[in-house]
Amino acid sequence: MTIDFYKCTDDIRTAVKTFTDKKTITGASILGAVSVLQPVFILEYDGTLLGYQYMYVADLGHWYYISNRVLSNAGQIIISGQAD
């Protein structure tokens, strides 16, 4: 699965946001059964992802606010999203 990550400095309550610094990651896996509104993904660890606030998942057709990041001792990062 491919995920596009974006940075955004706008307030999360802003309806029309400005996204910058697109970073595309391929090879993401879904953690367990996926909720379209609150998906959780497992990716290979990339420290730069800690600076991103939003993601777009074309396979699910949604934009998500990144609600949580969990670092795994297996060299992975688990990213939770909340439909925006």
Side-chain angles (χ1 to χ4, degrees), residues 9-40:
T9 57
D10 298 331
D11 188 291
I12 62 171
R13 296 170 291 185
T14 303
V16 179
K17 296 176 179 64
T18 303
F19 296 108
T20 61
D21 298 330
K22 178 181 175 183
K23 179 175 184 134
T24 301
I25 300 290
T26 59
S29 299
I30 297 169
L31 181 62
V34 67
S35 163
V36 174
L37 298 178
Q38 297 175 322
V40 180

Side-chain angles (χ1 to χ4, degrees), residues 40-73:
V40 180
F41 301 98
I42 301 174
L43 306 145
E44 289 301 314
Y45 178 75
D46 179 342
T48 63
L49 293 178
L50 298 174
Y52 288 82
Q53 299 84 17
Y54 283 86
M55 60 185 170
Y56 178 74
V57 183
D59 289 343
L60 300 178
H62 280 284
W63 284 90
Y64 298 96
Y65 174 74
I66 297 174
S67 59
N68 197 16
R69 297 163 192 86
V70 177
L71 304 179
S72 160
N73 60 0

